[in-house]
């Protein structure tokens, strides 16, 4: 089973427009999908689910859409806390959270605090997030530490970088899914997806369901993750692993 699934939840707006509805209705329907996917991941025993909910670039959308998304975020978080606790889900958030409206941030912090104990799934919402800005903050932090003399530039390795990202306490994603038909990364988890298996589906996020997710996991299980090695090496390794 994959340990960490990351999803670029795309297609809400088109889903609504195809039905002659306002884009906001698509976001509302998308919020329902989030609930279903969280429940599915709990059922499947997946320990980490990370969702791209709002990118740094999404601040450039029309003001009414941004405001509606922020309102939806606050109300969903508030509403979902009991269900999250019941399902043993810990809420976590990454991104430049200082950009969010004060109320959103307070709701979010409160929900993270209330769900911090007794969990089997860590649900991470990426909010005002972009991979490049995450790397920028990481580099600034490391440059400051080097200037202060608390680290030596020679000692900065890949682990140091991973530990200075928003995702410091998350494993790298095994699977990255993008719904909505586009085949791009849109600035999501640039460092962390170095070896993720990528899946692109034309299904719009509001229509994405447990069956779709289980099919992707099945395909993932049939892929050979070689991490640069040859197929023969990988097979030999899993053979000796099985013999242990
Ligand atoms: C994804 O759906 C949700 C957010 C980016 C907030 P979109 O709103 O991007 O939907 P499309 O791509 O316009 O259909
Ligand atoms: C990516 O979707 C961001 C989120 C899903 C939150 P977008 O719809 O914003 O991506 P682009 O602009 O089409 O690349
Ligand atoms: Mg989109």
């Amino acid at each position: 089973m994959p340990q960490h699934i990351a999803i670029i939840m795309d297609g809400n707006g088109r889903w609504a427009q195809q039905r002659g509805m306002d884009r906001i209705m698509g976001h509302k329907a998308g919020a329902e999908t989030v609930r279903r996917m969280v429940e599915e991941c709990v059922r499947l025993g997946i320990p980490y689910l990370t969702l791209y909910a709002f990118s740094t670039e999404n601040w450039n959308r029309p003001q009414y859409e941004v405001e509606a998304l922020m309102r939806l975020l606050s109300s969903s978080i508030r509403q979902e806390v009991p269900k999250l606790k019941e399902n043993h889900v810990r809420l976590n958030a990454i991104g430049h959270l200082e950009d969010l409206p004060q109320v959103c941030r307070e709701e979010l912090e409160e929900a993270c605090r209330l769900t911090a104990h007794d969990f089997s799934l860590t649900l991470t919402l990426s909010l005002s997030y972009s991979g490049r800005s995450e790397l920028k903050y990481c580099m600034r932090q490391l440059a400051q530490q080097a200037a202060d003399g608390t680290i030596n530039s020679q000692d900065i390795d890949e682990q140091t970088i991973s530990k200075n990202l928003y995702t410091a306490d998350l494993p790298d994603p095994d699977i990255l899914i993008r719904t909505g038909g586009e085949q791009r990364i849109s600035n999501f988890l640039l460092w962390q997806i170095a070896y993720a298996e990528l899946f692109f589906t034309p299904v719009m996020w509001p229509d994405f369901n447990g069956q779709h997710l289980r099919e992707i996991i099945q395909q993932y299980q049939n892929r050979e993750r070689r991490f640069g090695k040859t197929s023969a090496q990988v097979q030999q390794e899993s053979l000796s692993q099985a013999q242990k």
Side-chain angles (χ1 to χ4, degrees):
M1 271 318 239
Q3 293 298 292
H4 185 177
I5 298 179
I7 308 182
I8 302 172
M9 311 185 285
D10 197 23
N12 292 349
R14 279 165 289 160
W15 180 90
Q17 283 164 333
Q18 284 161 5
R19 286 162 179 75
M21 300 191 295
D22 191 85
R23 294 176 55 84
I24 309 304
M25 295 311 288
H27 296 312
K28 288 200 171 136
E32 294 295 320
T33 306
V34 171
R35 181 181 304 139
R36 289 200 306 272
M37 282 309 114
V38 170
E39 286 174 358
E40 188 63 31
C41 286
V42 169
R43 264 197 294 277
L44 294 169
I46 288 158
Y48 296 96
L49 175 66
T50 298
L51 302 175
Y52 204 5
F54 193 87
S55 72
T56 307
E57 290 76 19
N58 288 148
W59 290 113
N60 297 318
R61 291 197 176 187
Q63 195 188 341
Y64 98 98
E65 184 167 341
V66 170
E67 285 173 1
L69 279 165
M70 292 300 139
R71 272 198 302 277
L72 183 61
L73 178 67
S74 295
S75 63
S76 312
I77 291 170
R78 197 168 337 119
Q79 222 173 305
E80 289 306 310
V81 171
K83 197 100 202 135
L84 293 175
K85 283 174 77 104
E86 191 186 313
N87 284 325
H88 306 283
V89 179
R90 166 172 80 124
L91 187 68
N92 179 38
I94 59 171
H96 197 252
L97 306 178
E98 292 85 344
D99 295 341
L100 298 174
Q102 182 74 10
V103 273
C104 273
R105 246 171 83 189
E106 285 170 5
E107 298 281 0
L108 197 60
E109 280 165 13
E110 176 76 348
C112 292
R113 200 176 55 72
L114 289 170
T115 58
H117 309 285
D118 182 30
F119 56 89
S120 56
L121 170 67
T122 296
L123 168 65
T124 301
L125 296 183
S126 314
L127 293 163
S128 195
Y129 174 89
S130 92
R132 283 192 173 181
S133 77
E134 178 180 40
L135 287 165
K136 172 187 78 184
Y137 288 117
C138 170
M139 287 177 201
R140 279 190 192 166
Q141 221 162 320
L142 294 175
Q144 189 61 52
Q145 290 169 22
D148 295 344
T150 53
I151 52 163
N152 191 327
S153 64
Q154 300 305 312
D155 296 335
I156 297 175
D157 56 14
E158 293 185 12
Q159 205 186 344
T160 319
I161 296 171
S162 293
K163 291 292 164 206
N164 279 278
L165 297 174
Y166 295 131
T167 50
D169 53 359
L170 307 179
D172 286 343
D174 301 300
I175 293 182
L176 174 69
I177 302 169
R178 183 176 187 136
T179 61
E182 313 293 356
Q183 304 200 0
R184 55 176 173 257
I185 302 299
S186 301
N187 220 344
F188 193 38
L189 301 176
L190 296 178
W191 173 270
Q192 298 88 337
I193 60 167
Y195 257 108
E197 294 294 328
L198 309 182
F199 293 87
F200 298 98
T201 165
V203 178
M204 299 293 157
W205 178 248
D207 288 332
F208 193 74
N209 61 32
Q211 179 66 28
H212 295 123
L213 182 70
R214 291 192 300 277
E215 276 168 20
I216 286 174
I217 292 174
Q218 210 162 35
Q219 287 179 47
Y220 163 84
Q221 288 167 335
N222 289 324
R223 288 193 189 177
E224 184 176 61
R225 300 183 83 191
R226 290 192 285 276
F227 298 101
K229 296 182 182 171
T230 67
S231 188
Q233 283 176 300
V234 173
Q235 281 166 25
Q236 182 55 46
E237 275 170 11
S238 63
L239 206 63
S240 44
Q241 202 73 36
Q243 282 163 353
K244 269 187 203 156

